[in-house]
Every structure is written in C-alpha cells, then in structure tokens.
Amino acid sequence: MRNDKIIFIGKPNAGKGTLQKSFLEGRSEEFELLSVGDLLRKARKEQTELGKKAAAYMDAGILVPDELICGLAIPALQSATKPIISDGFPRNVYQAKAMLDAGISPIVIEFYVDDNVARERALNRLICEKCGETYTLNQFHPPLVEGICDKCGSPLGKRSDDNSEVVERRLKEYQEKTLPVINFLACNNIEVHTIDTSSSNAADQLIKLLID
Ligand code: AMP
C-alpha cells in the first residue's frame, strides 16, 4: 500500500463508482469508503438537517457549501482505522486546501472520460432507491428483472440529478471547480495518477496503482 488515504476524482459518470466497487470486491474488509454523495443522499432520505440543507444544491447540480462538506469529510478521513478511499471529496480547491491543512496527504487517482460518454452514461443510469446499487438502461449493466434491484429486490429509479440540464451543470461545475484541484494538489507534492475509464484494463490499472 503506497498511501492509506486515497482520493478518487472524476467528472460525473466517469465510472469511478463502478471501478471503486469492482476494486473493493473481495477487499471490502481491508478498506473504508467515504462517499460524500452517498452520505448526502442518505441524509436527504432520512430528512436530517444536513439532508435538508443539501437537497436544493444537489438537485441543481451544484456543490453543497464547503463548511457542511468539510465538517463531514475531514473527520472521517482523519479517524479512519484502515486505508480509506474518498470518492467525491475534495471537489474544489477550498476543500483540497482544508484537507492538506488538516495534515492529510493522500494519493490521488483521477478517472478520465470524454464528456459525451459521461453524458450518455448519466442518461442511462438507474439507482436502487434502497441500497444505492447502480444499473444501466443499456446492455452495460442492466438489472436481471426490469426495474428491480438484483441485490435487494427494491424498485429502481432515476437519480434526481440525472437529467440533461443538471448533467450539463455538473459537468461545468467539474470543469470549473474540481479540475483545478488536481493541479493544486500536484503543485503541493501530492502524487496524482490518471486512469482512462474507457480503457478495457482500467480496473487492472487501479489495482496496480493501489496494491502493487
Ligand atoms: P456524487 O454522488 O458524488 O455525484 O454527488 C452528488 C451531489 O452531491 C453533487 O452534485 C453535489 O451537489 C454533492 N456533493 C458530493 N460531494 C461533494 C463535495 N465534495 N462538495 C460539495 N458537494 C458535493
């Protein structure tokens, strides 16, 4: 293990969630996972204060305010007792600086995909309303029974932010706010690697980077 704090960065629908799941298969005991997006979706479902505050930002496809996010993510990264993968934090330079200031010095994996592929994936995505498992409407990873989660049998639906208007805004947010994080961290001596997720050996590349 090269570093026990691992940051996954990628534009919406770059495929980082899928690669993260395949990486953790058989390794879930060895790693912790911090997915800020999943925590926010859970908070919304449970109607917590955080969930209520985050909802409008998420539906608009823009970033939730930094103080809410940093208060959630930084303690989780600091208190991890195993190597931890952070999926979706930091997402702007303010958050990245707060992370470095908190003494967290991670390895970063950037998941790259072309914008048009990202758009198509977003519009084809289904998500389980109960367990969060994701599927596609196309041949890539459809559910065994239409509209039903293979894992828990609950109904599948669309994510509220997977419509073309919001997808465009999220891509723009990524370009303007998240992409500069990569440069910022690299300039602060953080190791950054890029994986092209449309490459057939993307999963092997990830294993090589994190385990070998
Ligand atoms: P995701 O599931 O990672 O695509 O995140 C869904 C939404 O949650 C984003 O569009 C943002 O509104 C919000 N979100 C997730 N991570 C962050 C973050 N690090 N900073 C601010 N907002 C976030």
Side-chain angles (χ1 to χ4, degrees):
M1 178 65 47
R2 298 153 78 121
N3 189 318
D4 65 357
K5 311 284 185 221
I6 302 153
I7 304 294
F8 283 3
I9 293 188
K11 66 181 72 159
N13 297 92
K16 64 183 158 58
T18 308
L19 282 164
Q20 170 241 104
K21 274 184 198 133
S22 79
F23 175 77
L24 287 179
E25 230 162 80
R27 295 191 184 89
S28 57
E29 298 293 302
E30 297 159 46
F31 289 85
E32 282 184 36
L33 175 66
L34 168 68
S35 166
V36 173
D38 284 351
L39 289 179
L40 294 175
R41 278 184 285 280
K42 184 163 177 272
R44 284 184 71 170
K45 218 156 105 192
E46 292 168 357
Q47 296 267 301
T48 65
E49 276 312 302
L50 170 68
K52 285 185 208 157
K53 284 184 187 152
Y57 298 96
M58 295 174 78
D59 285 344
I62 55 178
L63 297 184
V64 174
D66 292 326
E67 63 274 15
L68 294 177
I69 299 295
C70 290
L72 193 71
I74 290 176
L77 285 168
Q78 283 174 322
S79 63
T81 53
K82 297 176 187 173
I84 181 165
I85 295 175
S86 168
D87 178 354
F89 175 88
R91 224 140 149 163
N92 61 22
V93 171
Y94 180 95
Q95 295 175 9
K97 184 168 184 314
M99 176 186 74
L100 295 185
D101 290 348
I104 299 161
S105 189
I107 180 175
V108 174
I109 314 288
E110 178 201 12
F111 295 90
Y112 172 79
V113 79
D114 180 78
D115 276 2
N116 284 333
V117 178
R119 285 187 182 100
E120 198 205 311
R121 285 184 186 164
L123 301 178
N124 273 308
R125 176 163 61 182
L126 292 173
I127 185 165
C128 173
E129 288 160 14
K130 188 154 178 231
C131 74
E133 182 70 9
T134 55
Y135 299 89
T136 60
L137 281 166
N138 57 21
Q139 72 286 4
F140 184 56
H141 177 42
L144 294 171
V145 178
E146 198 182 318
I148 301 291
C149 178
D150 297 353
K151 287 203 163 161
C152 72
S154 302
L156 301 177
K158 293 286 289 174
R159 255 174 65 161
S160 55
D161 52 359
D162 274 346
N163 61 70
S164 50
E165 191 189 326
V166 177
V167 169
E168 289 311 317
R169 208 165 310 129
R170 295 175 74 215
L171 285 170
K172 191 160 174 275
E173 284 275 286
Y174 182 80
Q175 183 72 25
E176 291 176 0
K177 307 212 170 121
T178 310
L179 211 49
V181 168
I182 296 172
N183 229 339
F184 170 78
L185 290 175
C187 290
N188 280 278
N189 301 319
I190 299 295
E191 195 180 332
V192 179
H193 298 270
T194 300
I195 294 178
D196 182 340
T197 63
S198 44
S199 140
S200 57
N201 69 350
D204 294 336
Q205 287 182 49
L206 185 58
I207 293 171
K208 206 164 165 41
L209 279 172
L210 297 184
I211 305 280
D212 294 352

